[in-house]
Each structure stands twice: as C-alpha cells, then as structure tokens.
C-alpha cells in the first residue's frame, strides 16, 4: 500500500473517531441548550423549524414536503460525513407533525428520488395513508427530474400526481444485488473461511456462487414485495392488477408515458401543483410553508470536515464504505445508489 493510501486510511479513521466524540458531546450538551436555541430560531412544538414560501392565512396552510435523494435510513454517521440529502427520521417527523397540526389543510409532496429501501418506502406510504384516513388532508405529488421505483411507491396514495414531460418515473419492481469477488480472491491466493450454523446462513455471500435453492428463496421474497408494490398502485391509482402489471416490469418511462399509462394525472412544476391544490380545495389564501432541519453545529462541522479533506475520489470512496450498509437488501430502486 502506497503512502497516499495510508494517509487516506488514517484520515478516514481519525474523522470517524472525531465524529463519535463530537456526536456524544452534542448529545450531552443538547439538553441544556435546546430550550434557549428554540427561543432564538423559532421552532414548532416538535422541534421543526418552518419557512414560509407564500404568505397567507396561518390557520389554513399548505405544507410542502421534499423527498430528495435515495430513500433510506442511513443513521447519524452519514450525516456527519457531509451528505445533505434525504434524511428518513427527519421526514417521518415532518409527516407526524402534519398529522398533529390542525392548521395544515393540504400537502404537496415534492419527489426527486430514484427510490430506496423497501422498508423505508413502506413506512412513508403507511404514514401518508394514515394521515389521509384520520385527518382527510389531501396529498398532491410534484415529481421532479426523477421519481422512480420507491419514489413512485410513496407517491401512489396521493389524490393527484403531476409530472414534467421529461420526468423519469416508473421502474416498478424490486431489486437485490451483491458482488461476487470469489474468483478474483482465489486468483490472488485469498482464502475465505466460513463457519455457519445452517446451509443458508451465508446466503448472497460475495465469496462464492449462489445455489439454485438460495436463488429460489430470495426470488420468493422479492416476488412478495413486488406484489405489495402492485397492490399499492392498484389501490392508489384505481387500476386493475392487469393494468398495473402491464407496465410494472421494471421499465423506466418519461412523464408523457406515465400520464398515458394512468400513473400520473397531468403536467406541472412544483409551483403549478401548489396552485392546483389551492384551487381544488378552496385554499386560495392559504399560507404555504416547508419545514427546515436545524442540525446546528453538527451540520456545520460536517461541512467544514468535507471542505478540509477535499472531495478527491479516494476520500469519497472511503467515506462511502464507512457510512453505507454493506449487507445486501431489497430495494425499490432505479439505478445505482
């Protein structure tokens, strides 16, 4: 290993150690400072800040919720290493606040995501349907550049879905992937020793070929999740199983094709969707707002760490290894996360 690689590894280990120390310190200090911080920045009762997009009646409001990036729960480590994207716990907190806030009369869900985890997508779907059933709050979806797979899954229960003509959507299905580097390791004389309690304990191991029995077991799991995906679209879009499965083969489509396939209702940008939901539900004077995530010093430090260590490819690769899950998992996902 050359000097540059050793330096990169030492730096990555140091950053990880610093993040653990700082996260612990913030957790300890947060209790003492939280009340004074809330007084300064102005937050909701749940600790979420709000930004007014359009001024209007505070007692009759439209909330804009953003899903931007891969839908997965990456935990605190990823946020420290500087990734400003989708934050699952933060988004679920927004949905819970929508449910409890009587001033919110409608929601625009702005989706720009290739999808993500099966579990996280289902959790969002369940929460949206819960809000609809218990409060009657309507949801309209504004799809951005991409709203595919899990990005479509969470949009399906909305009263209306709007796309741009060139939006990439669809990709209805489930995927599970792993890498097999067993032959490469053998070529370099690397021997893997595995001790397991049952024949399937190391299923999808990257060090050996998959057996037909193992493939059948995994295929059954994926098929079950696929059927759940189809059911979600049937219910949300009022389509038959046959109509859904005609386009639910993993294919990607643009906005025009999505409207033709009844997977979307019309065309429009986010501002158009906001005006449409205000018109449809007599909310012409409604205040439009969105939530903010006040991550405070942790977020600032994350930015500084990235600035200090740079964005070279090797650092990015090490950061990716340190912050992402390594185990294969089922995903409603289009493309490579």
């Amino acid at each position: 290993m050359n000097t540059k690689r050793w330096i990169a590894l030492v730096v990555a280990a140091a950053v990880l150690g610093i993040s653990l120390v700082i996260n612990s310190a913030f957790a300890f200090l947060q209790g003492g400072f939280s009340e004074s911080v809330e007084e300064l920045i102005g937050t909701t009762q749940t600790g979420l800040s709000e930004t007014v997009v359009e001024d209007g009646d505070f007692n009759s409001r439209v909330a804009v919720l953003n899903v931007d990036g891969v839908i997965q729960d990456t935990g605190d480590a990823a946020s420290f290493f500087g990734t400003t994207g989708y934050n699952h716990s933060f988004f679920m907190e927004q949905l819970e606040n929508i449910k409890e806030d009587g001033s919110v009369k409608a929601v625009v869900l702005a989706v720009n995501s290739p999808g993500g985890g099966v579990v996280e997508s289902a959790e969002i779907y369940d929460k949206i349907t819960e809000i609809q059933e218990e409060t009657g709050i309507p949801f309209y979806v504004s799809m951005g550049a991409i709203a595919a797979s899990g990005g479509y899954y969470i949009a399906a229960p909305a009263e209306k879905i709007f796309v741009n003509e060139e939006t990439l959507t669809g990709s209805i299905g489930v995927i599970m992937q792993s890498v097999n580097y067993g032959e490469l390791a053998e070529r370099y004389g690397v021997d893997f020793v595995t001790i397991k309690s049952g024949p399937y304990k190391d299923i999808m191991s990257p060090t050996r070929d998959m057996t037909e029995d193992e493939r059948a077991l995994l295929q059954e799991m994926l098929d079950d999740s696929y059927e759940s995906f189809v059911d979600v679209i049937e219910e949300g879009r009022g389509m038959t199983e046959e109509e859904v499965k005609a386009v639910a083969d993993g294919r990607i489509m643009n906005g025009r094709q999505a409207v033709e396939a009844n997977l979307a209702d019309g065309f429009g940008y986010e501002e158009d969707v906001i005006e449409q939901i205000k018109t449809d539900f007599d909310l012409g004077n409604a205040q439009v707002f969105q939530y903010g995530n006040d991550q405070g010093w942790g977020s600032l430090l994350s930015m500084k760490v990235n600035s200090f260590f740079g964005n070279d490819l090797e650092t990015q690769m090490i950061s990716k290894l340190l912050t992402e899950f390594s185990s294969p998992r089922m995903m409603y996902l289009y493309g490579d996360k």
Side-chain angles (χ1 to χ4, degrees):
M1 185 178 292
N2 59 35
T3 303
K4 183 180 178 181
R5 290 182 180 272
W6 275 115
I7 293 174
L9 287 172
V10 170
V11 167
V15 170
L16 181 59
I18 293 171
S19 71
L20 294 175
V21 172
I22 292 176
N23 285 339
S24 299
F26 284 156
F28 177 76
L29 295 173
Q30 187 176 9
F33 290 115
S34 59
E35 293 183 3
S36 58
V37 170
E38 287 178 6
E39 291 177 0
L40 288 172
I41 63 175
T43 60
T44 66
Q45 290 182 348
T46 60
L48 297 174
S49 66
E50 296 179 357
T51 301
V52 175
V53 179
E54 295 179 17
D55 203 8
D57 184 359
F58 182 81
N59 296 313
S60 180
R61 305 198 294 165
V62 176
V64 179
L65 305 184
N66 295 283
V67 176
D68 191 1
V70 178
I71 304 168
Q72 59 180 344
D73 191 353
T74 56
D76 293 334
S79 63
F80 177 84
F81 281 99
T83 75
T84 58
Y86 177 75
N87 182 320
H88 187 63
S89 60
F90 173 55
F91 186 74
M92 295 306 298
E93 187 178 359
Q94 293 177 65
L95 288 176
E96 182 61 33
N97 201 69
I98 291 293
K99 179 184 173 183
E100 302 297 331
D101 190 340
S103 70
V104 177
K105 307 302 180 184
V107 176
V108 171
L109 183 63
V111 181
N112 187 39
S113 170
V118 167
V119 173
E120 292 91 337
S121 300
E123 188 176 7
I124 294 173
Y125 170 85
D126 289 342
K127 194 64 179 181
I128 290 176
T129 54
E130 176 187 315
I131 294 170
Q132 290 171 316
E133 292 169 1
E134 295 187 13
T135 70
I137 294 175
F139 279 71
Y140 277 17
V141 168
S142 171
M143 291 185 170
I146 183 169
S149 203
Y152 189 87
Y153 188 105
I154 65 173
E159 278 74 9
K160 288 185 179 180
I161 297 174
F162 294 87
V163 294
N164 301 313
E165 291 189 353
E166 304 305 330
T167 294
L168 288 180
T169 186
S171 188
I172 299 167
V174 195
I175 191 169
M176 191 176 193
Q177 293 179 309
S178 69
V179 176
N180 185 345
Y181 48 74
E183 186 175 336
L184 177 65
E186 183 178 352
R187 185 182 306 169
Y188 286 94
V190 178
D191 184 28
F192 295 95
V193 178
T194 302
I195 302 172
K196 54 185 180 179
S197 59
Y200 302 114
K201 185 60 180 173
D202 64 340
I203 195 170
M204 287 197 83
S205 168
T207 65
R208 65 174 178 80
D209 292 335
M210 183 182 297
T211 69
E212 290 303 316
D213 286 345
E214 290 172 335
R215 186 176 296 276
L217 283 173
L218 294 175
Q219 187 65 57
E220 184 178 356
M221 290 170 50
L222 264 69
D223 289 345
D224 186 57
S225 293
Y226 169 76
E227 292 297 335
S228 295
F229 201 157
V230 171
D231 291 342
V232 161
I233 299 174
E234 285 182 55
E235 183 175 352
R237 300 299 300 170
M239 299 170 66
T240 66
E241 180 179 353
E242 183 179 4
E243 289 173 332
V244 176
K245 287 190 173 180
V247 292
D249 52 8
R251 74 181 68 180
I252 198 76
M253 62 185 71
N254 62 27
R256 294 184 294 273
Q257 293 170 320
V259 172
E260 291 174 1
N262 196 30
L263 294 178
D265 298 286
F267 304 104
Y269 295 101
E270 183 178 315
E271 56 270 24
D272 302 318
V273 179
I274 292 172
E275 290 306 311
Q276 188 64 56
I277 202 169
K278 289 168 68 174
T279 299
D280 291 351
F281 293 93
D282 194 22
L283 298 169
N285 193 39
Q287 180 189 90
V288 180
F289 76 98
Q290 59 186 9
Y291 293 110
N293 190 1
D294 297 306
Q295 295 178 347
W297 295 106
S299 178
L300 178 63
L301 180 61
S302 172
M303 295 168 59
K304 292 298 183 183
V305 167
N306 280 327
S307 175
F308 181 78
F309 290 116
N311 292 312
D312 63 276
L313 180 59
E314 192 157 16
T315 301
Q316 292 180 38
M317 291 176 65
I318 294 173
S319 175
K320 188 178 180 71
L321 288 172
L322 287 171
T323 59
E324 290 192 352
F325 301 112
S326 58
S327 300
R329 57 190 218 139
M330 291 190 294
M331 304 285 283
Y332 295 137
L333 183 67
Y334 170 71
D336 182 14
K337 68 175 180 174

